[in-house]
Amino acid sequence: MSQKNPFNSTSGEFSPAAAMAPSLGEAHSSMKVPKNAAWWRKFLAFVGPGYLVAVGYMDPGNWATGIAGGSKFGYTLLSVILISNMMAVVLQALAGKLGIVTGRDLAQACRERFSAPVVMMLWILCELAIAATDLAEVIGSAIALKLLFNIPVLYGVIITAVDVLLILVLQNKGFRALEILVIILMATIALCFGIDLFLAKPDMVGVLHGFVPSTEILQNPAMLYVAIAIIGATVMPHNLYLHSSIVQTRQIEQTTQGKREAIRYTTMDSTIALTLALFINAAILIVSAAVFHSAGMTQVAEIADAYHLLTPLLGTTVASILFGVALLASGQNSTLTGTLAGQIVMEGFLNIRIPAWLRRLVTRLIAIIPAVIVTAVVGEHGAEQLLILSQVVLSLQLPFAIIPLVMFTSDKKRMGAFVNKLWLKIVSWAIAAIIVVLNVYLIIQTIIQF
């Protein structure tokens, strides 16, 4: 294990020089971008990071809100999913721009800008958020194994520890191999829900109306709560750290024109990937609305219930199997990106490098231990409650990622010619304020209901 002292021994502050080493050093600038090539060839060279980021928007922690929203209120909350996705597009574009322009990921930027105590607090909060994310992935994958193969959730939780071996194999194959696997798993999820959508035969007029915002959402307290839960589960804090780092895996020209081109293609990549995430999240809600709400079953909120009810209501076991496969793919996909995020925040905040296998093992144990204890003590329902709690922990960390991101990208001294324009500053600060306020409300309400 190699490690450098991240503190200045005399001042007690972080040393800017120590922050110069890029995170994910083994992958940094490892992928070539063709010069003097057609635009589409250049764009393809930048395709990948956006899909790693988009994974966080469809992890198992997001499924419950979509299922509950569709079964209770039909297609009405589709507009909330759309608005949430638009917010995510803006924030992820800012994260990508920060990494390309400054050569720093968000964690490194915080390390350079804030005092040592603040940085330590931000790092601890971020580690808790990553552990919560991993917890959701562990439980989601374990539930999928239970549904598909009737493996008890307790054993499923333990089995998920093995995926650390997959991470190690992929990291040895290069960063592109990781991106390709993530894209394949995302395509699997999209295909499964595409077929389920076809089988569910949703009311297309109702779907289109659902994408139009309704005042009923604000007037109905129960609907508002679910809407806020959807927004609260949308932007994952670790994704902002992740995106600002992995965009640096491309070899770009360190000129104004080179950076401008990289920002354009990176933004296209993340926007297209997040649009796919929008389709998947919307599909979860649409299937729930078409199958459960239309049948008068408005209390379906848990993943396992949805799985068991799809077969009798649609008349085929294919729907349930595809649902379970998509859930398993979702959990495994999120695991891959959670690994990278954990490595990035540790290296970025503390400038500590440890072997990838050790980092993954520690992160996974932090998630598995509480999942095993809760499942063993209170059973599978307790695991579902733990899934909800993990989303609250994520919500708590969100302001500490969004606010620095908007602040840094709006800083003329840091960003130079790429600083956020006035309209973008207004939009990004408004998004930050909305998400923070709604997350605080969601946390309070969830604690009250928990």
Side-chain angles (χ1 to χ4, degrees), residues 324-373:
V325 170
L327 177 60
L328 185 60
S330 173
Q332 293 306 298
N333 224 355
S334 301
T335 288
L336 300 177
T337 57
T339 304
L340 293 176
Q343 184 177 342
I344 288 163
V345 299
M346 176 175 282
E347 293 179 355
F349 279 120
L350 303 184
N351 202 33
I352 294 176
R353 267 68 172 168
I354 66 174
W357 67 268
L358 180 58
R359 166 72 217 190
R360 184 64 201 148
L361 187 61
V362 171
T363 304
R364 179 107 305 190
L365 285 175
I366 292 173
I368 285 177
I369 290 172
V372 168
I373 294 173

Side-chain angles (χ1 to χ4, degrees), residues 131 135 138-139 154 157 363-378 382-383 386 389:
L135 181 63
V138 165
I139 294 174
L154 178 59
V157 166
T363 304
R364 179 107 305 190
L365 285 175
I366 292 173
I368 285 177
I369 290 172
V372 168
I373 294 173
V374 171
T375 306
V377 175
V378 297
L386 201 57
L389 182 60

Side-chain angles (χ1 to χ4, degrees), residues 173-218:
K173 296 291 184 181
F175 200 79
R176 195 57 163 176
L178 193 66
E179 292 178 343
I180 290 172
L181 178 61
V182 165
I183 291 173
I184 291 172
L185 287 173
M186 276 191 67
T188 301
I189 300 169
L191 177 63
C192 289
F193 269 107
I195 297 173
D196 272 350
L197 272 177
F198 175 77
L199 294 173
K201 296 181 174 58
D203 174 14
M204 294 310 299
V205 174
V207 169
L208 293 176
H209 278 298
F211 281 111
V212 179
S214 169
T215 56
E216 183 185 0
I217 297 173
L218 298 176

Side-chain angles (χ1 to χ4, degrees), residues 20 28 69 88 100 108 116-117 134 161 200 250 294 302 317 325 328 383 438:
M20 292 298 290
H28 185 76
I100 291 169
Q108 290 174 322
D134 213 40
R250 271 58 180 175
S294 61
E302 293 192 355
T317 58
V325 170
L328 185 60
L438 293 183

Side-chain angles (χ1 to χ4, degrees), residues 402-423:
I402 293 180
I403 292 174
L405 173 65
V406 177
M407 184 173 72
F408 294 151
T409 53
S410 299
D411 182 358
K412 174 73 173 178
K413 184 178 178 181
R414 181 180 295 270
M415 300 295 292
F418 299 96
V419 68
N420 294 341
K421 291 179 170 54
L422 179 60
W423 69 267

Side-chain angles (χ1 to χ4, degrees), residues 50 53-58 62 77-93 186 211 227 230-236 239-240 267-283 427 431 435:
V53 167
V55 165
Y57 293 87
M58 61 187 79
N62 291 3
L77 294 181
L78 283 172
S79 60
V80 177
I81 292 178
L82 176 61
I83 293 170
S84 300
N85 196 264
M86 292 169 65
M87 291 180 176
V89 166
V90 173
L91 292 175
Q92 293 299 162
M186 276 191 67
F211 281 111
I230 291 173
I231 295 175
T234 297
V235 181
M236 310 296 274
N239 269 344
L240 303 177
T267 302
M268 287 172 61
D269 171 48
S270 61
T271 301
I272 293 172
L274 287 170
T275 300
L276 178 58
L278 168 64
F279 163 77
I280 292 172
N281 283 331
V427 169
I431 290 173
I435 291 178

